[in-house]
């Protein structure tokens, strides 16, 4: 029953967050256990195994990302340019502020564990689907398939560009945001004028 205590799990995830933020994507399970004041077997008992810990961290932080982006998606009838700018800027700010955690979840955990990789891929896919639904509902894109294509394209473009930008800190975030916004607005304008 000790492995099911939600307060203890939360404390263990807090310890994992601290270690990953401090040590980066190479943070070890031993360091996480030490930070939490437990042994690795005790840490694993609460999550089943390393994969379970990875998935719990992914669930925790994905909710944060979705919670950040969903209000921007849901701002009905707001100007497209300002909505895109707000969503992209919020996303880039969040990944830059949580760089080690982002790299841990998307690259290390995803590479080491197929279940975590599938979970992270499903999250990106669901954001694309949600954005596609918004595009279909709020614009003159009559074809729901085309709206889904655009939703996935925009989410993938922003994620890939964000990854590139993290490797190029000399590039001003505002410049990246405006470049992405221009592509989205131009694409939507071309789609709507057909």
């Amino acid at each position: 029953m000790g492995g099911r205590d939600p307060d203890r799990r939360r404390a263990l995830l807090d310890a994992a967050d601290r270690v990953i933020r401090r040590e980066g994507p190479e943070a070890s399970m031993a360091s996480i256990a030490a930070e939490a004041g437990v042994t690795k077997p005790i840490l694993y008992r609460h999550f089943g195994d390393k994969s379970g810990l990875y998935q719990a961290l992914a669930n925790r932080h994905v909710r944060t990302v979705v919670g950040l982006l969903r209000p921007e998606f849901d701002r009905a009838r707001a100007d497209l340019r300002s909505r895109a700018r707000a969503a992209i800027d919020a996303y880039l700010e969040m990944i830059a502020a949580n760089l080690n955690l982002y790299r841990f979840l998307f690259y290390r955990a995803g590479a080491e564990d197929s279940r975590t990789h599938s979970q992270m891929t499903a999250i990106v896919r669901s954001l694309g689907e949600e954005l596609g639904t918004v595009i279909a509902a709020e614009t003159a894109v009559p074809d729901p398939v085309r709206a889904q294509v655009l939703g996935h394209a925009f989410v993938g473009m922003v994620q890939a560009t964000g990854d590139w930008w993290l490797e190029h800190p000399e590039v001003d975030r505002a410049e990246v945001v405006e470049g992405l916004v221009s592509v989205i607005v131009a694409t939507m304008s071309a789609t709507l004028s057909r």
Side-chain angles (χ1 to χ4, degrees), residues 24-39:
E26 299 307 315
S28 71
M29 295 301 114
S31 294
I32 292 170
E35 180 79 16
V38 299
T39 63

Side-chain angles (χ1 to χ4, degrees), residues 61-82:
H61 293 290
V62 165
R63 282 194 310 266
T64 301
V65 173
V66 171
L68 184 72
L69 296 178
R70 185 165 283 137
E72 300 306 330
F73 288 177
D74 291 341
R75 283 186 6 187
R77 310 255 182 259
D79 170 59
L80 173 62
R81 184 174 289 278
S82 65

